[in-house]
Amino acid sequence: MKKRDILFCLFLLIYAIFGCSYAFFSEYKLNRMLTTTFGFAHLYSFFTMICLVMLLFSSLAVAITLLKNGFKLKFDTPNSILISSMVFSMLFIFGGTGTDKLVETNRDGQTIRLVEWNVADNINEANIRDIFGEFDADIAVFPELGGYEKGDHSNSRLINLFKKAGIDFEKYEVYVSEPTEGSIAPVTIVIKRAFGRYNFYKKTPMTRFGTVYLSPTTKGKPSIIGLHTAPPLPGLMGIWKNDLDLISDLSKHNKDSIIIGDFNATMKHGRLNTIKTHVDALEHASKFNSGTWNIDIPSPFRTRIDHILIPNNKYGVKSIELKAHSTSDHLCVFTEIQELTN
């Protein structure tokens, strides 16, 4: 076997092990270690894109080989490697993504219209009209929305935007996390008063860029936890990993809560893959249109880092849609959930 063939075999083996670890064995220690290691964490964020590129490259190479050999394929080492790469890539793409199916719901059960959107502290009246007017959201979580100045409550800004959008702001209640260091705006949650009333608890621990804990005072309504984690950047990797651990712990101790926010990670990063009490509503979006960041790249290549975790076996996803607004680099997630049939 030539040295080049050995190198290709080694590359294929690494690709297969690392790919299978993420796509099919994400609960194991190897995946938890790789997905929280600098470099690997970022590659895995765009796992589908990498697999599609590998599939395209391998398919092109096989096609060129066929043309050169008069459409006769020799199963020598190079071609075997290329075909194996194609097979693994297709397995990873179609075996490691979401369900792409909505769940049968109870027609008599309560429905909840939810929106999650990292607005990058940039929102306008058209966005407000879309979210609270056309979609008529009951709960909207904005992981990065503050007032006009750092430290200001979001209310004054939202009052003006609601007025411009022609929507009565008095019908909504706003809850905002404590300001954090740096330029990142806090987490803001807007809830329709007619949906339910909530108590705001200034609890700890909190994720790096804010966590809002809301407990319902209206009977039959779910608790809400809105949050925004640190990003996996140099100097913040440890904080980011701790934030993911916190989300995992929150799910275990708040089994009936809806957990919403920008996690800066897929559900297979770190300990997020150990969450069994909740399911991500985005698992029910189209396989190639469920990524929420970045709007400037084609939808199959986007990474799914924004999440709406709903309690397992309690709610089903009735509808889900992602919309791109030019005011942010994140897509806006619209979903309607409903109590499951007993």
Side-chain angles (χ1 to χ4, degrees), residues 258-270:
I258 297 175
I259 304 172
I260 314 177
D262 178 358
F263 295 4
N264 278 306
T266 72
M267 290 305 296
K268 292 186 177 182
H269 276 90

Side-chain angles (χ1 to χ4, degrees), residues 4-20 54 58 77-89 92:
R4 183 191 64 181
D5 293 343
I6 294 173
L7 289 174
F8 279 136
C9 283
L10 182 61
F11 175 79
L12 177 63
L13 180 62
I14 294 171
Y15 177 57
I17 292 173
F18 287 5
C20 286
M54 286 290 292
S58 302
T77 301
N79 287 330
S80 297
I81 293 171
L82 289 171
I83 293 170
S84 297
S85 176
M86 291 170 60
V87 172
F88 277 121
S89 296
F92 297 156

Side-chain angles (χ1 to χ4, degrees), residues 103-325:
V103 177
E104 183 181 351
T105 53
N106 179 3
R107 292 182 180 179
D108 297 324
Q110 76 163 326
T111 61
I112 308 174
R113 293 189 176 189
L114 297 162
V115 169
E116 190 282 341
W117 185 28
N118 184 328
V119 301
D121 206 22
N122 186 20
I123 190 170
N124 59 37
E125 60 269 24
N127 305 146
I128 296 294
R129 193 178 300 113
D130 189 28
I131 295 169
F132 298 102
E134 294 181 23
F135 184 66
D136 193 23
D138 297 306
I139 302 169
V141 178
F142 304 114
E144 198 173 331
L145 175 64
Y148 288 115
E149 301 290 339
K150 182 172 175 59
D152 288 348
H153 198 281
S154 307
N155 267 20
S156 58
R157 185 178 186 181
L158 288 171
I159 288 171
N160 290 337
L161 291 173
F162 270 73
K163 184 177 181 180
K164 290 179 180 178
I167 300 172
D168 186 1
F169 180 76
E170 294 301 319
K171 293 182 179 180
Y172 298 86
E173 190 71 37
V174 179
Y175 308 89
V176 184
S177 66
E178 294 295 313
T180 59
E181 296 178 4
S183 59
I184 303 299
V187 177
T188 293
I189 300 181
V190 182
I191 299 181
K192 188 189 297 181
R193 292 177 187 268
F195 173 77
R197 296 301 181 95
Y198 282 81
N199 283 330
F200 176 27
Y201 293 100
K202 295 184 178 180
K203 294 168 60 177
T204 55
M206 298 182 70
T207 50
R208 179 63 179 85
F209 294 130
T211 304
V212 175
Y213 296 89
L214 298 178
S215 178
T217 57
T218 304
K219 187 178 179 180
K221 302 301 179 181
S223 296
I224 306 294
I225 301 175
L227 56 88
H228 187 190
T229 72
L233 296 176
L236 292 173
M237 289 296 294
I239 297 173
W240 172 70
K241 183 177 180 296
N242 289 337
D243 282 349
L244 302 189
D245 291 345
L246 173 58
I247 295 171
S248 178
D249 291 337
L250 285 174
S251 70
K252 292 176 184 177
H253 298 104
N254 299 271
K255 295 180 180 180
D256 294 325
S257 297
I258 297 175
I259 304 172
I260 314 177
D262 178 358
F263 295 4
N264 278 306
T266 72
M267 290 305 296
K268 292 186 177 182
H269 276 90
R271 280 180 54 201
L272 293 182
N273 57 62
T274 65
I275 294 176
K276 301 298 182 185
T277 55
H278 293 70
V279 63
D280 187 6
L282 281 153
E283 287 290 325
H284 299 279
S286 169
K287 290 180 185 293
F288 298 108
N289 190 31
S290 62
T292 61
W293 186 84
N294 184 298
I295 68 167
D296 293 329
I297 60 179
S299 59
F301 298 155
R302 294 171 185 150
T303 182
R304 190 195 303 169
I305 60 174
D306 297 270
H307 305 277
I308 298 175
L309 304 188
I310 58 177
N312 240 343
N313 304 318
K314 187 170 183 179
Y315 296 100
V317 178
K318 191 175 180 181
S319 66
I320 186 161
E321 182 182 6
L322 278 70
K323 292 185 180 181
H325 296 290

Side-chain angles (χ1 to χ4, degrees), residues 27 29-30 53 55 65 72 87 93 119 129 161 237 298 342:
E27 296 177 20
K29 187 175 180 180
L30 176 62
V53 170
L55 178 61
T65 301
K72 293 181 180 179
V87 172
I93 291 169
V119 301
R129 193 178 300 113
L161 291 173
M237 289 296 294
N342 294 328

